Amino acid sequence: MPKIVGPLSLPGNQGRGERTMMTTPPSDVSVAVRRNWDERARRWLDYDDDMERFAAPLGELALERLGPCEGARIIEVGCGTGGCLHTLAQRVGDTGRVTGVDIAAPMVEHARRSVANRANVEVLHADASTHRFEPEHDAVFSRFGMMFFPHPESAFRNIARALRPGGKIAFVCWDGIRTNEWFMITGLAAMSVTRAPLAPARRAPFSLSNPERLRELLAQAGFHSVHVARRVEKTVMSEEDLETRLKSSLEVTGLRETLRGLPQDVRRRAVDAVREALWARVSDGRIALRVGVLVAEATR
């Protein structure tokens, strides 16, 4: 496992004083966008445990590339409810510092409660694409938080400015929809009823699914030693977990947007089609699906 070495463990990284809980509402994001994220976050909280079980192993892929060590100052972009903040806090230790950033106020409130007893963690309500971070951080990490920037070019430049020379970025984002069976199966099943096309690849959550484009974005932002790797993992769910995951998809993912505003009978038939397509993959009480992600890392 690669490790960040050198300046991370110098005495100058120690003794940074008390934590302050900052609130910096994103200034360049429309009220409508912020409200959309807040609404989505409130629904997400009902399924947070299920989402965390699904995402945690995928986040570990980026954590392995980041390799934070004692004394690091780390930013987590899109920290959500704080699941990764605890892991990062343990890795950097008492002499390190972790700053979680999220645009959704309900997520921030939940994350702050979750890490209230960790003196080396703070959570900001801010837009990471424009927030003025101090250029003193050793690393930036994200688990599925980078794909939603409306202007990724300027967002990555801003994030790069938060890092000291030699600092590192590592994150995981979705590969294309065709490498992700959950999205593919549910999307095609819904489309068979609604006749609506699948969302184009350039839109979130697949906006960074082109490896060459992602490498270009990072290089243009001032990063070097850029590496983007495709990984195909497998998620296995029980029948009970499958139904929970379907409910969460109908509440917080693109499937909800696909069915939004449709007549009730069309929506019902689409949901039935999705459920039937998923259950057709169940074998011996379980369903196993491919999950495709990109794991990116680069140095400032």
Side-chain angles (χ1 to χ4, degrees), residues 30-101:
S30 71
V31 172
V33 170
R34 276 184 275 158
R35 286 177 176 171
N36 176 62
W37 275 109
D38 287 351
E39 177 191 355
R40 182 182 298 186
R42 292 186 185 97
R43 297 193 304 269
W44 182 289
L45 293 176
D46 291 335
Y47 300 96
D48 188 54
D49 290 344
D50 175 66
M51 294 292 192
E52 186 63 26
R53 284 193 299 272
F54 173 68
L58 302 173
E60 285 291 333
L61 299 176
L63 284 171
E64 289 174 2
R65 307 313 304 170
L66 188 66
C69 31
E70 191 77 16
R73 297 184 182 190
I74 297 180
I75 296 170
E76 182 185 358
V77 174
C79 66
T81 58
C84 290
L85 293 177
H86 295 279
T87 301
L88 291 169
Q90 291 172 354
R91 295 195 180 193
V92 303
D94 293 339
T95 60
R97 187 77 164 175
V98 179
T99 300
V101 185

Side-chain angles (χ1 to χ4, degrees), residues 219-251:
Q220 290 177 347
F223 290 99
H224 64 88
S225 303
V226 178
H227 181 73
V228 178
R230 275 197 162 108
R231 291 288 298 267
V232 178
E233 304 293 318
K234 184 172 288 187
T235 182
V236 180
M237 292 169 281
S238 66
E239 294 178 0
E240 180 180 343
D241 290 339
L242 173 59
E243 193 63 27
T244 300
R245 185 72 51 80
L246 175 57
K247 290 178 180 177
S248 66
S249 293
L250 291 169
E251 288 295 324

